[in-house]
Amino acid sequence: MSYVPGVITPSGSILIRLLCCSVLVLPALAAASSCGQSATVITEVQGNTDTSALVGQTVTVEGVLTQDSRQAGGFSGFYLQQANTPADSTRSSALFVYTRHKGGSSGQRLRVTGKVKEHYGLTELVAVSDLQVCGTQALPAPVEVSLPWTRAPESLENMRVRINGPLKITDSHQLTRFGNVSLAAKDPLISTEFMAPGTAALRHARLTSMNTLVLDDGHARRNPPSLNWLPAYNATQPGSAASSLVAGTQVHGLTGVLDYRYGAWRLQPDQVPSLEPPSLPEPAPAKPTGSNLRVMTLNLNNLFNGDGRGQGFPTKRGAKTLAQYQRQLQRLSAGLNQAGADLLALSELENDGYGSHSAIAQLAASLGPQWRFIAPVNPAAQKDAIRNGLLYREDRVKALGPAQYLSAGGRPALTQRFVLKSGGLPFRLVSVHLKSKSCRNARGENAQQNDGQGCFNAVRVKQANALHQQLGQLDRSNVSAGTLITGDFNSYSKEQPISELARAGYTSMVAHFHPCTPVRCEHYSYRFKGARGSLDHALASAALKPRVLSARVWNINADQPRITDYRSHSSPQPWRSSDHNPLITDIKL
């Protein structure tokens, strides 16, 4: 907005306001005679590259206001597009105009003078000195486009587009924070799920989600109370929209403006799309014939119980209220019981001892009177806020000898030998949770190496090697049916920690029974930024491998939107009881 610089004093305020008004009014008086006169063509402003050649220059353009985002909480501007653009043009014919001028509305032709700027990859006009309404005009027809992109999205920046065919929701993590979801034509895979370790492809691996599109709500606000593309959404009743936002939901009828913000291509829709959600999760898989032991593996997504007496909330992690904790425990118990497991290998349990008020004791109690938990002989070895846990059904399984933590740097693994009460050889179960991929405080070899494996991969490799060596020492003195190492490895299937354990003789059983390919991967335990893969594994030793009859992922959590978890409402079903899917391993001992 134009203004007259100066200091406004009580005696001079009227004069300054009059001068301000004169600056704003004079251009408007000239509107009738300047509309349609010579102007810079918007395609010339956009140019053929990502950056406009006219950056810093003041230009006058004319076009149709296609979408207004000057509402409260909006982007403080509007999208302006040339009325007539050749269908085969390789240059965008639209701009975003950043301004507080109030003139113009959707479907009106405007003449705008402003300075060209590149704002984090978005070509726009700023410092608008003149805005004139030149009449009404039909909106430009949307350009037909498909994903994977049939033409470079840069050539369509700020233009009206129509997406041919449905897209799938791949991620809804930002739904409650910013009102958007990620879309893709195909459900993308984490590239390190299937690439051969050590190859150049792995060294330069990245998420295979470049052909994604964010369905946005046209606002820059946080925690939106409503969404223009999802009328059923209600922030005060988040469960109301849950069924339509599951990963894999097909989204039809996508039209709007193609926008670029916050490092991603976005669709600012101009009509409400239709949603076609997938079926509800399947029930827990049946046990295969001959199996007499079922192991379930699950990251509990921070099960913290306050002080264990109904107080102590909010906690360091997990539930913020007693009600949230009770809902979390309800869902976890439902899933763990429905699976029909004999043994549970868990991670992200609160590290608060093993007394009656501890998180692990209350979890065991919620599962039923037949459940017991394992307490290691060296509990002080675990110094983190979270720990691993092992639980077992005492009516079916017996724990043999002392359990112990195996320290390998970071969170130690928890190991215990078990035997069926009906007899047979014992076997060893190891619950692990390796160092996360978070880059906080990562330096040197632990920093991002641009190989697709994330930060602290060197630590995870050391943890995997140390675990193998320590287990080898323990197993020399014990006759056993073998060992199952299972839990959250924070490593995808072809990454170095898993490969190191594979060289040591351990086989990923889910990958064995259900291998991933670049185009097909039905068993995955986690979603990250719209791509899916497995951070959780069940690794069988050479001795145990022939005894494993089945290993699979039970997909009840990763695809479900975060908005449906225990923080929002209770549910008798286990869906979204965690952010990881559980693994189920069936064994014949």
Side-chain angles (χ1 to χ4, degrees):
M1 179 179 291
S2 300
Y3 68 96
V4 175
V7 178
I8 299 178
T9 64
S11 60
S13 59
I14 296 178
L15 175 60
I16 296 297
R17 291 179 182 176
L18 288 173
L19 289 173
C20 288
C21 292
S22 67
V23 173
L24 292 176
V25 172
L26 287 177
L29 296 176
S33 60
S34 58
C35 284
Q37 293 185 7
S38 177
T40 302
V41 181
I42 293 179
T43 52
E44 295 298 323
V45 178
Q46 283 281 4
N48 291 314
T49 63
D50 292 351
T51 303
S52 172
L54 303 183
V55 168
Q57 297 185 32
T58 297
V59 299
T60 297
V61 297
E62 286 195 15
V64 182
L65 194 161
T66 58
Q67 192 172 126
D68 202 337
S69 187
R70 291 174 290 184
Q71 71 275 21
F75 300 137
S76 301
F78 56 84
Y79 300 88
L80 191 72
Q81 183 171 341
Q82 286 175 204
N84 300 305
T85 305
D88 58 352
S89 175
T90 59
R91 295 181 292 180
S92 169
S93 61
L95 291 168
F96 181 74
V97 180
Y98 180 78
T99 181
R100 293 185 179 181
H101 277 273
K102 302 300 183 183
S105 59
S106 180
Q108 289 188 320
R109 184 178 182 87
L110 305 182
R111 183 179 179 89
V112 183
T113 300
K115 184 181 292 185
V116 180
K117 180 182 179 180
E118 290 290 339
H119 184 70
Y120 295 99
L122 181 72
T123 305
E124 60 183 26
L125 286 188
V126 300
V128 173
S129 58
D130 189 25
L131 187 155
Q132 303 169 22
V133 177
C134 303
T136 59
Q137 188 162 350
L139 296 180
V143 177
E144 304 283 341
V145 64
S146 301
L147 265 67
W149 295 108
T150 49
R151 58 186 283 187
E154 180 68 28
S155 68
L156 298 167
E157 183 185 69
N158 300 316
M159 293 176 61
R160 296 190 74 224
V161 298
R162 176 182 291 115
I163 308 298
N164 288 324
L167 298 182
K168 292 181 178 180
I169 292 179
T170 61
D171 183 52
S172 59
H173 185 72
Q174 298 291 345
L175 176 72
T176 55
R177 292 186 65 195
F178 298 111
N180 59 64
V181 295
S182 296
L183 308 173
K186 295 183 178 180
D187 203 356
L189 302 172
I190 300 289
S191 56
T192 49
E193 278 289 6
F194 51 82
M195 292 183 177
T199 64
L202 178 57
R203 288 195 296 272
H204 299 287
R206 57 181 177 174
L207 296 179
T208 57
S209 57
M210 298 304 292
N211 285 308
T212 60
L213 183 66
V214 175
L215 179 58
D216 210 345
D217 71 338
H219 288 80
R221 61 191 175 181
R222 286 177 176 265
N223 308 314
S226 60
L227 299 176
N228 60 358
W229 57 268
L230 187 62
Y233 177 81
N234 184 330
T236 62
Q237 296 179 323
S240 60
S243 62
S244 58
L245 297 170
V246 176
T249 293
Q250 294 195 55
V251 186
H252 302 261
L254 290 163
T255 69
V257 172
L258 184 63
D259 190 23
Y260 186 83
R261 294 177 190 275
Y262 310 110
W265 289 104
R266 298 165 179 269
L267 183 75
Q268 307 297 345
D270 55 18
Q271 69 177 38
V272 177
S274 61
L275 306 177
E276 184 182 343
S279 302
L280 290 173
E282 296 181 354
K287 292 183 179 180
T289 302
S291 169
N292 54 15
L293 184 73
R294 170 166 281 194
V295 180
M296 185 173 181
T297 307
L298 180 61
N299 180 313
L300 300 179
N301 194 19
N302 292 304
L303 181 64
F304 279 56
N305 70 339
D307 64 0
R309 300 171 175 84
Q311 302 297 320
F313 294 93
T315 56
K316 184 176 181 179
R317 301 187 183 204
K320 301 306 178 186
T321 66
L322 175 62
Q324 285 188 2
Y325 165 67
Q326 291 172 335
R327 294 197 295 262
Q328 183 185 22
L329 192 62
Q330 176 193 32
R331 291 203 194 188
L332 287 170
S333 299
L336 296 172
N337 275 320
Q338 286 180 27
D342 306 297
L343 292 167
L344 303 175
L346 309 174
S347 57
E348 290 198 8
L349 267 163
E350 183 179 7
N351 186 18
D352 60 347
Y354 294 90
S356 60
H357 299 295
S358 66
I360 194 170
Q362 291 187 357
L363 175 61
S366 74
L367 294 173
Q370 68 275 23
W371 282 95
R372 298 290 181 269
F373 60 85
I374 294 296
V377 295
N378 56 339
Q382 174 58 280
K383 303 181 186 306
D384 201 66
I386 54 175
R387 66 180 178 206
N388 308 321
L390 291 172
L391 290 86
Y392 65 102
R393 285 191 57 140
E394 67 160 357
D395 57 334
R396 300 175 185 171
V397 181
K398 179 181 179 181
L400 293 179
Q404 62 180 301
Y405 280 126
L406 301 180
S407 182
R411 286 182 292 265
L414 178 61
T415 176
Q416 172 71 66
R417 296 171 71 231
F418 293 96
V419 66
L420 291 173
K421 281 203 164 181
S422 58
L425 285 175
F427 93 112
R428 184 180 298 281
L429 182 61
V430 185
S431 175
V432 303
H433 189 189
L434 300 189
K435 176 71 174 175
S436 79
K437 293 176 178 285
S438 170
C439 289
R440 187 170 62 178
N441 300 322
R443 298 179 181 85
E445 65 178 0
N446 289 320
Q448 183 68 257
Q449 303 297 310
N450 297 318
D451 61 358
Q453 300 185 91
C455 291
F456 290 102
N457 188 58
V459 170
R460 291 190 291 276
V461 171
K462 292 176 182 176
Q463 289 178 311
N465 285 327
L467 178 60
H468 156 60
Q469 293 168 5
Q470 293 174 37
L471 287 174
Q473 295 171 0
L474 289 175
D475 289 338
R476 287 194 190 101
S477 59
N478 293 300
V479 177
S480 171
T483 298
L484 185 71
I485 309 174
T486 187
D488 180 358
F489 288 76
N490 274 307
S491 304
Y492 294 105
S493 298
K494 297 297 184 180
E495 293 183 3
Q496 286 177 279
I498 306 302
S499 299
E500 291 293 320
L501 288 167
R503 279 192 283 272
Y506 292 90
T507 301
S508 174
M509 298 313 299
V510 174
H512 172 73
F513 287 104
H514 309 280
C516 283
T517 71
V519 296
R520 186 180 181 85
C521 192
E522 295 181 350
H523 287 256
Y524 50 92
S525 70
Y526 195 68
R527 283 187 177 271
F528 181 70
K529 293 186 176 180
R532 56 201 165 95
S534 286
L535 294 175
D536 308 85
H537 307 276
L539 309 181
S541 66
L544 187 66
K545 180 181 175 182
R547 298 175 180 269
V548 178
L549 303 184
S550 171
R552 61 176 296 157
V553 172
W554 185 20
N555 192 352
I556 60 173
N557 293 328
D559 287 352
Q560 303 302 310
R562 186 175 184 271
I563 192 175
T564 64
D565 72 10
Y566 67 86
R567 296 174 182 86
S568 61
H569 64 289
S570 60
S571 172
Q573 296 297 337
W575 323 144
R576 195 62 189 191
S577 54
S578 173
D579 53 348
H580 290 244
N581 285 328
L583 312 185
I584 295 177
T585 307
D586 290 299
I587 304 170
K588 181 179 181 180
L589 290 179

